Amino acid sequence: TRRLKPAATNFRILQKSETNYLGVQMGRLPIRIYGDEILRKKAEPIDFVNGELHKSRLEKLVEDMLETMYAGDGIGLAANQVGVLERVIVIDLGEAQPGIESGPRCYINPEIVSRAGVDVMEEGCLSFPNIHAEVKRPSEIEVKALDLEGKSLHFQANGLFARVLLHEIDHLDGVLFIDYLSPMKKLLLRDQLKELEKRAQMSVGRE
């Protein structure tokens, strides 16, 4: 999820030193843009039976995702967006939602247990540079996930926090925010989307 326009809310950009909360070396990852087929693939659940080696790799992935998210001025990122088909998302709302503590959050194998209410808000996405659109989503959700230690998390979220969770979990299922747009809105964005598809194909050709 990309940060909203400054007029919509006041976000704080964290410094790189703040992201290294696990104490491992970080690195920015290339963000896959619309048109890259990996964005339409479903990510696989993380299995914690592989012990410390697996945990070390997962920690590195999370740290790299956080740095990549901050560098892109984002508030959420899914592993698909950096070319990894694993069910991992990272979030940091900064000071955007009162009552929600700022700081990096990581959720492994997240799933929506229940949904309630309706809300409409403008969204953006790091995989859709310079594209924003209003999207209707549930305003309240209940979520189950695991933390980096493999411990169970079960919590409720509302407002922007719920929206970012829904957006990122959609990514893990190959669903994009433009899928919620009307045919007319998609038509208005057609040229921009085609340009992104061209860029994505050029990137694939260079790999």
Side-chain angles (χ1 to χ4, degrees):
T1 310
R2 184 177 288 277
R3 296 175 189 266
L4 301 183
K5 297 176 182 177
T9 187
N10 180 28
F11 290 100
R12 177 175 67 94
I13 301 176
L14 300 187
Q15 299 300 313
K16 184 184 297 186
S17 60
E18 293 181 83
T19 71
N20 194 9
Y21 75 116
L22 292 175
V24 298
Q25 183 64 37
M26 298 180 297
R28 295 181 191 175
L29 304 169
I31 293 178
R32 304 300 182 95
I33 61 174
Y34 177 70
D36 191 314
E37 63 179 17
I38 200 167
L39 295 178
R40 287 300 189 182
K41 293 182 178 180
K42 191 167 183 177
E44 295 294 326
I46 296 289
D47 187 348
F48 277 87
V49 300
N50 293 326
E52 289 300 316
L53 181 61
H54 184 86
K55 179 184 174 185
S56 176
R57 185 190 63 79
L58 185 58
E59 288 180 349
K60 181 65 165 60
L61 172 62
V62 168
E63 289 293 355
D64 288 350
M65 287 176 62
L66 283 167
E67 183 177 4
T68 302
M69 180 185 76
Y70 293 131
D73 197 21
I75 56 174
L77 189 69
N80 308 52
Q81 293 177 272
V82 293
V84 179
L85 286 174
E86 294 183 324
R87 298 189 77 80
V88 181
I89 64 174
V90 294
I91 292 173
D92 189 343
L93 299 183
E95 307 293 340
Q97 184 170 335
I100 300 295
E101 184 179 353
S102 65
R105 300 167 184 262
C106 167
Y107 300 108
I108 313 298
N109 300 340
E111 58 179 290
I112 308 299
V113 177
S114 65
R115 308 165 187 248
V118 176
D119 190 19
V120 177
M121 186 183 296
E122 184 182 72
E123 291 186 21
C125 180
L126 294 175
S127 293
F128 290 79
N130 303 316
I131 293 180
H132 298 83
E134 289 191 341
V135 178
K136 181 188 295 185
R137 293 189 186 270
S139 57
E140 300 178 16
I141 58 174
E142 183 180 357
V143 179
K144 291 197 307 183
L146 301 175
D147 65 13
L148 273 172
E149 301 295 326
K151 296 178 181 178
S152 296
L153 304 171
H154 195 168
F155 59 94
Q156 295 180 331
N158 58 31
L160 181 62
F161 188 27
R163 178 168 294 270
V164 175
L165 284 162
L166 287 162
H167 182 114
E168 302 308 334
I169 293 172
D170 269 354
H171 268 301
L172 300 181
D173 292 322
V175 177
L176 306 175
F177 84 106
I178 61 167
D179 297 340
Y180 296 98
L181 304 184
S182 68
M184 178 59 70
K185 181 60 177 179
K186 288 181 181 178
L187 183 61
L188 293 173
L189 294 174
R190 181 179 60 182
D191 290 345
Q192 289 172 275
L193 294 175
K194 284 186 175 181
E195 181 61 31
L196 288 180
E197 288 178 328
K198 290 179 182 177
R199 286 174 54 186
Q201 292 305 312
M202 290 175 62
S203 296
V204 170
R206 289 195 296 265
E207 290 180 353

